[in-house]
């Protein structure tokens, strides 16, 4: 898979990278290079953990410069073990945001909060666990 690397701009902002070409299309003059990288799914990564020892995964947060929905979808059936998911959405179009919410609702998640930058979902399967164990999603600065 290709990764698009943006160099520092004239204001000295640090560069970034994305798996989505359209991120570099917004500022093509800053595109530094394109690199071919290997990627894997979150499901593959979780295969290395002894998930059978855990009743649930409390929280997954993504910040993948526009590829967040694809990363969450790569959980496959393992998404059912996750209580909270928050994902960056600032690089998504309105349609992509709508599709992401629809996917999460179909996975039995509820969009319980949002900012212009992020969506916050909770898994309806764990509402009793959230209440009994008082599991709360901690936001930065709290």
């Amino acid at each position: 898979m290709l990764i698009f690397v943006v160099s520092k701009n004239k204001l000295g902002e640090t560069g970034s990278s994305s798996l989505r070409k359209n991120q570099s299309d917004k500022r093509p003059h800053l595109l530094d290079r394109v690199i071919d990288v290997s990627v894997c799914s979150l499901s593959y990564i979780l295969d290395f953990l002894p998930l059978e020892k855990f009743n649930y995964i409390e929280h997954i947060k993504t910040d993948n410069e526009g590829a967040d929905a694809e990363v969450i979808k790569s959980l496959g059936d393992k998404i059912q073990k996750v209580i909270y998911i928050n994902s960056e959405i600032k690089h998504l179009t309105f349609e992509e945001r709508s599709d992401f919410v629809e996917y999460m609702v179909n996975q039995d998640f509820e969009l319980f909060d949002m900012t212009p930058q992020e969506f916050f979902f909770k898994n309806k399967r764990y509402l009793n666990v959230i209440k009994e164990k008082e599991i709360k999603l901690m936001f930065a600065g709290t």
Side-chain angles (χ1 to χ4, degrees):
M1 178 167 273
L2 298 178
I3 188 164
F4 301 87
V5 181
V6 176
S7 64
K8 290 184 179 182
N9 65 20
K10 291 179 183 177
L11 299 175
E13 296 171 337
T14 59
S16 63
S17 60
S18 178
L19 296 172
R20 294 178 54 154
K21 184 178 186 310
N22 68 343
Q23 295 307 102
S24 61
D25 285 346
K26 293 175 186 171
R27 299 184 291 173
H29 60 288
L30 296 177
L31 183 61
D32 185 41
R33 62 189 178 281
V34 178
I35 303 169
D36 193 7
V37 296
S38 298
V39 298
C40 62
S41 68
L42 275 180
S43 180
Y44 176 80
I45 292 169
L46 292 177
D47 284 341
F48 291 96
L49 301 176
L51 290 180
E52 67 280 353
K53 293 184 178 183
F54 303 99
N55 293 326
Y56 50 81
I57 299 167
E58 193 170 305
H59 180 215
I60 291 179
K61 185 206 184 317
T62 62
D63 182 351
N64 299 99
E65 303 302 317
D68 298 81
E70 291 90 350
V71 169
I72 293 301
K73 289 176 182 179
S74 79
L75 279 165
D77 292 342
K78 291 181 179 79
I79 197 170
Q80 297 172 10
K81 289 192 73 103
V82 182
I83 294 179
Y84 290 111
I85 294 175
N86 67 294
S87 292
E88 184 183 73
I89 58 163
K90 69 181 179 182
H91 299 294
L92 301 181
T93 66
F94 178 80
E95 183 178 333
E96 290 169 326
R97 292 176 187 200
S98 296
D99 290 346
F100 188 24
V101 171
E102 182 180 349
Y103 173 81
M104 294 301 288
V105 167
N106 288 336
Q107 299 302 312
D108 214 17
F109 278 77
E110 170 187 338
L111 176 64
F112 73 93
D113 201 0
M114 63 187 287
T115 70
Q117 306 289 320
E118 292 182 279
F119 280 157
F120 299 86
F121 297 99
K122 67 181 165 187
N123 191 330
K124 292 184 194 177
R125 294 176 193 91
Y126 292 101
L127 293 178
N128 289 335
V129 173
I130 292 168
K131 186 175 180 179
E132 288 171 14
K133 299 196 182 269
E134 297 183 8
I135 298 173
K136 295 183 176 121
L137 181 60
M138 300 302 291
F139 297 93
T142 59

